[in-house]
Structure formats: C-alpha cells, structure tokens
Amino acid sequence: MTTTVARDEAPAPRRTAPADRPTVSFELFPPRDEAGADRLVATIRALEAARPDFVSVTYGASGRTRQTTRRLVAQILNTTALTPIAHLTCVDASRAETVAIIEEFLDEGVRSFLALRGDPPAGVTDWQPHPDGLHTAADLVTLLREVEAARCAHSQAQVVRGLVKPLSVAVAAFPRGNHATGGTRANDVAALLAKQQAGADFAITQVFWDAPSYLALVGEARAAGVTIPIIPGILPATDPARLVRVGRLTGVTPPEQLLARLAAHEDATTRHSAGVRATADLVNAVLDGGAPGIHIYTFNQHRAALDLLDLTHLGGAFAPRTEPKDLA
Ligand code: FAD
C-alpha cells in the first residue's frame, strides 16, 4: 500500500485484543461499463490486501442493477477470498419477483444480504410502491428468513449448509433520520427496532459528518431496545464535489468547515491528505465512542480507503497474516 498521508499527527494504534479489533468493510457498486469493470478488478485486488471482514455490493434504484449486482457478487465469491454482502431492495417488485431474486442469490452461494426498502427512481414524481410488493425493509428481512426456512424445510442438505454458513441479514440505519422519506431519527429508531424484531443481525449507517449524530443514534436505539451492532458508514472526505453530490442525494450536507478545509488546498495530493486526516478524526471519534468497526463508501476507488485504514491503524498490517509454520 502506498501511503501519501503523513502519520506524524495520527494517534498511536489502539491496543486491542485481536478478537476486539474493529471490523473493516467496503461498499462497492456494479460497474457501468467494461472499462469500469476492468478498473474494479484492480480496486478489488487492492482492497483485498486490507483483509476486510466483508464487502457490500449496491443494488440500483428499482432493481436497475439486478443482473450486474448478481454478476459482481458472484465474481467476488468465485475469484476472491472476500465475503460479499448483496444489497437488495424490495419496494418496486412484487413479492414473487423478490422471492425469485432471493432464490437466485442463494443458489449462487450468497449468504449475506443488506435488506433495504429502496428509493423511488430519481425524477419520478407520481411513483407508487408495487401493489403486490413489500413495503418496508423489515418486511424484506422477514421474507429473507422465510425463504431460507422454506429451503431448509425441503432439504436436509440445505439445513447443513445453513448451519455451516448461516444466513446473515444487515439493514440500514440513519444517524440524522432518513431524509429521503422525511423521517426523523426517532422514526428511524422505530424502524430499526422493527428490522431487528424481523430478524436483522446488524446495521450499517448512512453517511454522516459528526460523531455525535452517530453516537446519539446508537444511544437512542439502545434505549429503545435495539441490541444489534450498528456499524458507522464512512465516506472518505477527499473529493469536495463528491461530498456535495452525496449531500444532495442523501440530504446529509457536508459541513462548510470541512469543504473550506479541502478548498484551502489547490494541490490534489495535499487536499487528499487533508481529507483523509479529517476522515481519520471522525473514525477515531466513533471508534472511541464504541463503534464496532467502520464500513467505507469507496465509490469503487481504493486509494482514499486504504490511506484511511493506514492512518487509523486498521489496515491489513493491523491483522498480520500468520505465515505457515515450518513443519521441518
Ligand atoms: P425502511 O426501514 O423500510 O424505511 C422506509 C421509511 O419507513 C422510513 O421513513 C422509515 O422511518 C419508515 N418506517 C419503516 N418502518 C417503520 C416503523 N416500524 N416505524 C416507524 N417508521 C417506519 N438504496 C438502493 O436503492 N440501493 C442500495 O444498494 C442502497 N444501499 C444502501 C446502503 C445503506 C448503508 C443505506 C443507509 C442506504 C442504502 N440505500 C440503498 C438507500 C435506502 O434504500 C433508502 O434510504 C430507502 O429510503 C429505504 O430505507 P430503509 O431500507 O431503511 O427502509
């Protein structure tokens, strides 16, 4: 890994027992074209060196990337040592269509999902959820569990496979409430509890820019009875234009102070370093506040993600690969 960010200002590595080391994971999206697919292969190889706990693969609005998501998840399963989590949305498909998609993923060997309701397609104003479809992410968690149970009911082999590789279901959480649906943090905590009751195993948050909003979500969720781990979703703040775009999409506006800090650097390399340092401060704050790990929104680029791991001492070097013992 080539590190371009000076570590002299970084805090010393956390002293944690190996079992307590924070989880590290990455979000990828299906490539839009062949050139993107080639670049992604190199990105995946670079990210693999950090030995992440899992990588998640997004699913386009209204299932637009159903086939490309499946292909990328299968590629990760079949050609890397990584564990993929397939994002899955339900709001624009009938229940039968959603069952068919779940079956396809399970047949492929996928055992981990991020169950989402999904957003309406951009620009569509009179959009309605599918009349025979599921209405919430919690419904999708329930359906995933039902499909797995039905498969196990018909096949002892499937029971054994399920015991060896249990189905795991993640869900989304929103430190500042779900802007896309006009929801407050209180709405999101209620939705998160419903997802847990439906069988969700852990949650990953939407992007946020201040540790207190993540810690407040966790505090309010715990008070409401949510016990599942809530992993903070982290966007490396290296590209101001991307921060603004993500802000428009999610309603989570990047702080002016952060944008000004980045704008102060005309040189791309020093801007990158400043952005990684700012993100490392956020990562250290949430980990110090008890976060179980971090999920990095990579936008299919590895450099900022790996520099961030290096600066926060969370990279592959943190968990050295044990060399084979000399049996001679
Ligand atoms: P839900 O939990 O169903 O929530 C939808 C709305 O209903 C919210 O307003 C919620 O507050 C309300 N609600 C639901 N249940 C309850 C309840 N019991 N009590 C009170 N209120 C309730 N979108 C994609 O299209 N593809 C992706 O790959 C994708 N990946 C994502 C990954 C992450 C980590 C995150 C945070 C979001 C992602 N999204 C993705 C966006 C997501 O689909 C949208 O934000 C969408 O609005 C649905 O969110 P949800 O899954 O939490 O739905």
Side-chain angles (χ1 to χ4, degrees), residues 196-286:
Q196 172 178 291
Q197 285 163 346
D201 296 306
F202 65 97
I204 300 175
T205 77
Q206 191 179 49
V207 64
F208 58 93
W209 296 113
D210 61 317
S213 61
Y214 165 78
L215 298 173
L217 168 72
V218 176
E220 289 171 33
R222 297 290 176 252
V226 174
T227 55
I228 56 176
I230 302 174
I231 302 175
I234 301 288
L235 173 60
T238 50
D239 176 352
R242 172 171 298 146
L243 267 50
V244 172
R245 264 199 316 277
V246 169
R248 269 194 224 111
L249 272 173
T250 58
V252 184
T253 313
E256 284 301 328
Q257 214 184 359
L258 175 61
L259 293 176
R261 192 168 159 187
L262 298 177
H265 299 274
E266 274 183 28
D267 174 65
T269 307
T270 56
R271 188 169 55 241
H272 174 91
S273 299
V276 173
R277 266 198 297 275
T279 316
D281 290 344
L282 179 61
V283 168
N284 286 322
V286 292

Side-chain angles (χ1 to χ4, degrees), residues 34-80:
E34 255 180 58
D38 290 345
R39 281 195 303 273
L40 185 55
V41 170
T43 297
I44 290 172
R45 289 291 169 217
L47 294 174
E48 200 177 3
R51 306 185 63 219
D53 292 272
F54 62 88
V55 292
S56 78
V57 178
T58 65
Y59 198 75
S62 309
R64 241 185 320 109
T65 63
R66 171 173 171 182
Q67 292 309 333
T68 48
T69 300
R70 257 189 70 199
R71 269 202 294 278
L72 178 55
V73 170
Q75 180 189 342
I76 292 170
L77 260 184
N78 298 327
T79 67
T80 75

Side-chain angles (χ1 to χ4, degrees), residues 27 57-62 87-89 114-119 135-138 171-174 178 180-184 186-188 190-192 194-195 204-207 295 297:
E27 181 185 279
V57 178
T58 65
Y59 198 75
S62 309
H87 293 209
L88 187 58
T89 66
L114 175 55
L116 302 145
R117 192 195 67 159
D119 284 327
H135 286 242
T136 66
V171 289
F174 299 82
N178 188 346
T181 60
T184 61
N187 293 136
D188 188 56
L192 192 53
K195 293 172 192 180
I204 300 175
T205 77
Q206 191 179 49
V207 64
H295 186 63
Y297 294 114

Side-chain angles (χ1 to χ4, degrees), residues 51 319-325:
R51 306 185 63 219
R321 206 179 277 278
T322 35
E323 296 300 330
K325 288 208 173 78

Side-chain angles (χ1 to χ4, degrees), residues 14-36:
R14 276 178 195 77
R15 290 184 181 278
T16 15
D20 283 342
R21 74 188 171 86
T23 61
V24 166
S25 51
F26 303 115
E27 181 185 279
L28 301 169
F29 56 79
R32 298 199 173 95
D33 51 35
E34 255 180 58

Side-chain angles (χ1 to χ4, degrees), residues 65-177:
T65 63
R66 171 173 171 182
Q67 292 309 333
T68 48
T69 300
R70 257 189 70 199
R71 269 202 294 278
L72 178 55
V73 170
Q75 180 189 342
I76 292 170
L77 260 184
N78 298 327
T79 67
T80 75
L82 299 168
T83 300
I85 292 191
H87 293 209
L88 187 58
T89 66
C90 58
V91 77
D92 203 29
S94 69
R95 187 187 165 88
E97 282 163 350
T98 305
V99 169
I101 296 164
I102 295 170
E103 296 271 9
E104 282 172 9
F105 275 117
L106 291 173
D107 289 345
E108 206 90 59
V110 177
R111 301 297 296 161
S112 300
F113 293 87
L114 175 55
L116 302 145
R117 192 195 67 159
D119 284 327
V124 178
T125 48
D126 58 348
W127 179 88
Q128 295 292 325
H130 196 290
D132 304 323
L134 309 177
H135 286 242
T136 66
D139 293 341
L140 182 54
V141 177
T142 303
L143 186 63
L144 279 157
R145 297 282 178 211
E146 283 173 5
V147 171
E148 170 74 355
R151 287 164 72 97
C152 288
H154 289 107
S155 161
Q156 288 270 295
Q158 186 56 35
V159 173
V160 175
R161 285 195 194 100
L163 289 168
V164 175
K165 276 193 180 180
L167 188 75
S168 81
V169 184
V171 289
F174 299 82
R176 291 182 158 269

Side-chain angles (χ1 to χ4, degrees), residues 298-316:
T298 68
F299 282 79
N300 286 7
Q301 290 168 357
H302 61 269
R303 198 177 129 211
L306 295 183
D307 283 348
L308 177 63
L309 293 184
D310 197 47
L311 200 60
T312 51
H313 309 283
L314 294 173

